Amino acid sequence: MDAQPLTRHVERGVQWVRAFDRRRPLAWDLLLTGFFVIAAFIDVAGDGWRNIADNKGAPLWLVYAMTAVFSVPLLWRRRHPLTVYGLMTVTALVNSWSGASLQAALTLLVVVFNIAIRLPTRTLAWTYGLTVVPSVVGHLRHPRGSWDQQVVPALMSFAIVALLGIAVRTRQEYTASLVQRAKQLEVERDQQAQLATNAERTRIAREMHDIIGHNLSVITTLADGGSYAAAKSPERAAQALTAIGTTSRQALTELRRLLDVLREESPEAPAPAPALAPQPALTDLDQLIDGVRAAGLPVRSTVHGRPDSLPAGRQLTVYRVVQEALTNTLKHGGPEATAYVDVAYGDDGVRATVTDTGVGGTLAGFPNSSSSSGRGLTGMRERTALYDGTLEAGPRRKPPGGWQVELHLPKESTQ
């Protein structure tokens, strides 16, 4: 017969008892104490104790008193185990000296079990020494057989109960440590999830800022220029409207690309995967610069070297930094501003420098550097920090004045 069902029933029974003990400890103590009280007094009332007594003529009042002391104090065994143990040990000495040899003295082992699972091991050690005293006294007072027949069984019983208590205590402590560890891991998991969520929000905010901020700045500039030129040069106004349409479609394309990546499809009804365009790379810089030129900002650019096997993430960082720098020049540089973009690939990584001749404020183009209202410079620094790069941004000396942004991303480590 398979023993697994029996093991399962035993485990369920143990769990039920533990759960009942946790919910109603007093009820459990009363139940256990009542059982031993009834059993002990039935033994005395039926004269069963005389069958093994060394002195069958022991005073009956003393027998009843010792029976009460051996059973009733079990109610306080958990709250005051040492007090109960001391009281029972003294009663056990009287029991051995009188020769009554009450079996109710075995309840002392219940107290020993509680000491083993609740008190330090050194306390258990000296209680072990006290346990042998009643047996020795009984052997000297009422010799019966060899000494080991009276002393050794008491010591063995104490040792077995003590080891059982230590085993239960070890299991409880191990279980408690597992529960604590599980709670700690749950807290750490929640913290990691929160950190990941915050990092993802920051990344999304950075992407949205770069995409919307740049394209809206270009559209605003084109719209202002088209409105100004509408009365004098309808052709220029038409060109501005065409450029606005192109820039708007480009912005929508980039936003759809970003939202498609973020969107989570239902597993029950999967939708066909959209054709996702890659994120902007350094090969798209010319298109970016052409768009800024169309908005009315003269831009010159030079490229030194080739972006051989430059990872896509680093290319996107350089692209976004250049985009943000040109956007801020377009917004704050003034009507006479010009810009210059220089990108150099070398053995130490990639460098990108964007300078302009704008006449904006002290920190033109980067209002967030003096307040918390913008995210331009913050976003560029966050992107740069992802690849252990450096970013320097600040006004240029006059003449010629203006603003400069310099980015350096070291070469990716191969280790």
Side-chain angles (χ1 to χ4, degrees), residues 49-299:
W49 63 277
R50 298 183 189 275
N51 296 329
I52 61 172
D54 293 322
N55 178 16
K56 296 180 175 59
L60 195 58
W61 66 269
L62 180 61
V63 173
Y64 274 101
M66 290 189 298
T67 300
V69 175
F70 278 136
S71 57
V72 176
L74 288 175
L75 185 63
W76 299 278
R77 73 192 187 282
R78 289 200 276 197
R79 286 173 289 178
H80 308 286
L82 289 180
T83 302
V84 175
Y85 178 80
L87 182 61
M88 286 189 175
T89 301
V90 173
T91 306
L93 285 172
V94 177
N95 182 44
S96 299
W97 181 266
S98 65
S101 302
L102 296 176
Q103 296 185 74
L106 293 176
T107 56
L108 187 63
L109 296 177
V110 178
V111 183
V112 170
F113 178 80
N114 282 267
I115 292 175
I117 65 174
R118 288 180 172 83
L119 299 181
T121 307
R122 60 178 180 274
T123 303
L124 188 64
W126 65 259
T127 55
Y128 186 79
L130 290 178
T131 302
V132 72
V133 176
S135 299
V136 173
V137 170
H139 176 70
L140 294 176
R141 177 70 172 169
H142 305 281
R144 183 178 57 184
S146 61
W147 69 273
D148 57 319
Q149 291 178 340
Q150 288 183 278
V151 177
V152 173
L155 295 178
M156 290 296 296
S157 299
F158 182 99
I160 292 173
V161 172
L163 290 175
L164 178 62
I166 292 173
V168 172
R169 179 176 183 171
T170 302
R171 179 62 182 270
Q172 290 176 344
E173 291 176 349
Y174 177 70
T175 303
S177 66
L178 290 179
V179 172
Q180 181 63 29
R181 178 59 178 166
K183 291 180 179 179
Q184 182 179 356
L185 290 175
E186 185 176 356
V187 171
E188 292 177 356
R189 181 200 64 192
D190 293 341
Q191 291 176 344
Q192 291 295 329
Q194 185 64 35
L195 290 174
T197 300
N198 292 338
E200 185 63 12
R201 286 176 177 174
T202 301
R203 186 187 70 83
I204 294 172
R206 191 165 54 232
E207 290 293 331
M208 296 290 286
H209 173 273
D210 291 342
I211 294 172
I212 298 177
H214 171 76
N215 288 287
L216 284 181
S217 296
V218 173
I219 291 172
T220 301
T221 303
L222 289 170
D224 291 341
S227 176
Y228 178 78
K232 298 181 179 180
S233 179
E235 294 181 358
R236 294 289 300 274
Q239 293 175 358
L241 290 175
T242 302
I244 288 174
T246 302
T247 304
S248 300
R249 284 189 291 272
Q250 180 181 354
L252 287 174
T253 300
E254 292 195 38
L255 282 175
R256 285 170 181 159
R257 177 195 309 150
L258 180 61
L259 295 176
D260 285 339
V261 172
L262 298 176
R263 185 176 59 195
E264 295 180 357
E265 299 293 346
S266 172
E268 290 81 4
L276 301 180
Q279 287 278 52
L282 292 178
T283 54
D284 300 313
L285 272 180
D286 291 340
Q287 182 180 356
L288 171 67
I289 293 173
D290 290 340
V292 175
R293 286 176 181 150
L297 175 66
V299 182

